[in-house]
Amino acid sequence: MAVRDLLRRRIVALLLDRVSSIDEEELAIQLAALEEEKSLIDVTKESAQSIRAELLHVHLPALEDTGLIEWDREAKTVTTTDHPVLDDPKFRQIIETEATEWDGILANLANQRRRIALSVLKNREEPMARADLAGRIIQHEMDEEITPDLEAVADLCIALHHIHLPKLEKAGLITYDIETETATYEGYSELDDEWLDFRLNETPRAILPSAHQSENIWSIEGRDNVIARGQSLFEQADDELFLMFTTDGLLEEGCIRRLNDAVDRDVDIYLGSQTPEVRDLVREHVPDAVIWEPQMDWLNLPPKYEKVGRLVYADRNAVMLATLGEEDGEGFHDETAITGAGENNALVILLRDLLGSRLDHLDAQSEDFRSQIPL
């Protein structure tokens, strides 16, 4: 979800920096100060009133519709909601970028086919023919091994010529030579390349700033980023979540909330942990989850290596495996993770083979049966 208006991005950024709601008038003054590059004390009453009118009639209703803000019209206050995108570091980067061309960039990134076109062109050193680009886009949308339908390629060629390529060129992301019918990637200084490194339905919801793609497997650095990726898998699950946690302190409030949301979507949740505190926490707050105590501590690597902390396996189609590093003064571990998605993803296949048919029996009701699961 991209907020494609500078003033709206500033609204969300201001709200994210607060721990409580903000009065409409105070919000208008702060926005006017940013708009005019003045101190708060120098903002005129007229400027604040003008911004406030724009807020009431245009921007706050639009942001409220997206689910990003909560607007109390009676109290005349505004605050952020618990929308999961607000916890995404990449979203924060989007709203804090103030380049004049940014709205045009975001408008193009919001279009799936233009994202794919940019991803394909970015990896080409030479200009690419429009027909070849159309074929590559359709292959991305389908299966890499399937030969694109000629009629579909022809239709997309027309759309590229009249719609997509001109819009991308106008945004400064490519150059399009009408005479030779070729396109060349130009890029943009504020646009991270990893935003475009994806395959449809196989990319993490948010490619975090710390992630680096390699053979469709991403590495993630930092506890907050690991938490964000894990929670995004909770949100994406449609049928099943298989979880293992080796120590307490890894299931944050946001995790519990998302697990309950998954239960409401009829997602089956299976959680294993050798730590009683973890099992008790989930048993209390997510009573519908199937809980067991693993009998083999296979997640604990030899002492000279880091210890595995989290395993999240969603719909047998996406996985994240995180390790625990050194503990800070507040009792939190530094974390790193690897993650992959897609039925044919190497990491997903590996975990599927490791767990095998055991997953098919996790819904057994016998406590004794679950205690014998050799994991």
Side-chain angles (χ1 to χ4, degrees):
M1 177 184 298
V3 181
R4 295 200 299 266
D5 183 282
L6 175 56
L7 190 59
R8 291 177 199 172
R9 294 199 298 273
R10 284 174 169 172
I11 291 170
V12 177
L14 284 170
L15 293 175
L16 285 175
D17 287 334
R18 297 179 61 91
V19 295
S20 60
S21 60
I22 186 173
D23 180 85
E24 292 173 359
E25 184 176 0
E26 181 184 348
L27 178 60
I29 293 173
Q30 291 202 33
L31 291 170
L34 288 172
E35 196 97 333
E36 300 174 1
E37 297 183 350
K38 295 180 177 179
S39 62
L40 294 176
I41 196 170
D42 291 328
V43 172
T44 65
K45 183 178 181 180
E46 291 73 22
S47 294
Q49 287 178 339
S50 176
I51 291 288
R52 186 176 183 184
E54 200 175 336
L55 289 176
L56 300 182
H57 296 292
V58 181
H59 302 298
L60 294 185
L63 287 172
E64 188 177 40
D65 287 342
T66 67
L68 296 177
I69 70 163
E70 184 176 313
W71 180 20
D72 189 329
R73 289 166 174 78
E74 291 186 6
K76 299 181 179 180
T77 59
V78 186
T79 189
T80 53
T81 64
D82 59 355
H83 197 295
V85 76
L86 297 174
D87 295 325
D88 186 337
K90 186 60 70 178
F91 181 77
R92 186 71 184 238
Q93 184 177 347
I94 287 174
I95 64 174
E96 290 181 349
T97 299
E98 295 201 355
T100 55
E101 306 92 343
W102 196 231
D103 283 341
I105 302 290
L106 294 179
N108 280 283
L109 291 180
N111 184 282
Q112 177 178 292
R113 281 191 159 170
R114 287 174 217 158
R115 290 198 309 273
I116 297 175
L118 289 171
S119 178
V120 172
L121 291 173
K122 180 179 71 69
N123 295 313
R124 300 275 300 201
E125 294 183 0
E126 301 294 330
M128 188 173 192
R130 175 160 53 98
D132 292 340
L133 177 60
R136 292 292 294 129
I137 291 173
I138 291 176
Q139 281 185 313
H140 269 266
E141 292 177 335
M142 300 167 61
D143 187 309
E144 288 289 342
E145 303 302 322
I146 296 177
T147 301
D149 179 74
L150 293 180
E151 185 176 349
V153 172
D155 289 342
L156 182 52
C157 271
I158 295 173
L160 286 172
H161 178 74
H162 292 287
I163 302 172
H164 302 300
L165 295 181
K167 287 182 178 294
L168 288 170
E169 185 174 44
K170 184 178 180 180
L173 293 169
I174 70 164
T175 55
Y176 177 46
D177 189 324
I178 297 178
E179 292 185 1
T180 61
E181 296 185 348
T182 58
T184 306
Y185 182 77
E186 297 295 338
Y188 185 70
S189 60
E190 300 291 341
L191 181 61
D192 288 347
D193 284 346
E194 59 261 32
W195 290 14
L196 307 176
D197 286 331
F198 76 103
R199 293 193 179 208
L200 194 62
N201 298 326
E202 291 190 359
T203 301
R205 178 183 59 84
I207 301 297
L208 304 174
S210 60
H212 307 283
Q213 185 181 11
S214 174
E215 300 298 328
N216 291 323
I217 295 176
W218 290 263
S219 62
I220 301 176
E221 301 285 343
R223 173 183 168 84
D224 290 342
N225 291 332
V226 170
I227 291 171
R229 173 56 177 156
Q231 291 181 353
S232 75
L233 290 181
F234 293 174
E235 296 165 4
Q236 293 173 26
D238 292 321
D239 301 308
E240 176 187 83
L241 272 173
F242 177 86
L243 312 170
M244 296 190 76
F245 293 87
T246 59
T247 185
D248 58 349
L250 299 180
L251 276 170
E252 298 74 20
E253 181 179 347
C255 295
I256 296 296
R257 183 172 68 251
R258 287 168 174 80
L259 287 178
N260 279 307
D261 289 342
V263 169
D264 292 340
R265 299 195 306 272
D266 294 324
V267 175
D268 295 325
I269 297 175
Y270 308 104
L271 182 138
S273 178
Q274 289 192 324
T275 305
E277 291 81 3
V278 174
R279 299 196 301 273
D280 292 342
L281 176 67
V282 176
R283 190 175 290 112
E284 177 182 356
H285 296 286
V286 192
D288 290 322
V290 175
I291 303 171
W292 83 98
E293 180 180 357
Q295 299 303 294
M296 294 177 63
D297 197 12
W298 66 279
L299 288 179
N300 280 334
L301 301 175
K304 65 178 180 178
Y305 298 113
E306 292 186 343
K307 177 180 179 180
V308 173
R310 312 168 190 256
L311 171 63
V312 181
Y313 189 33
D315 292 339
R316 309 190 191 189
N317 195 51
V319 62
M320 182 188 76
L321 185 65
T323 61
L324 302 178
E326 294 183 1
E327 188 174 340
D328 62 22
E330 297 180 358
F332 295 110
H333 292 271
D334 187 25
E335 295 188 60
T336 60
I338 54 174
T339 182
E343 187 174 316
N344 298 317
N345 181 274
L347 187 60
V348 173
I349 291 173
L350 174 62
L351 188 64
R352 190 185 300 139
D353 288 344
L354 281 173
L355 297 180
S357 60
R358 300 182 184 106
L359 286 174
D360 294 326
H361 303 289
L362 280 174
D363 57 354
Q365 297 303 305
S366 166
E367 289 291 338
D368 180 66
F369 174 83
R370 287 202 295 273
S371 71
Q372 296 178 43
I373 297 176
L375 294 175

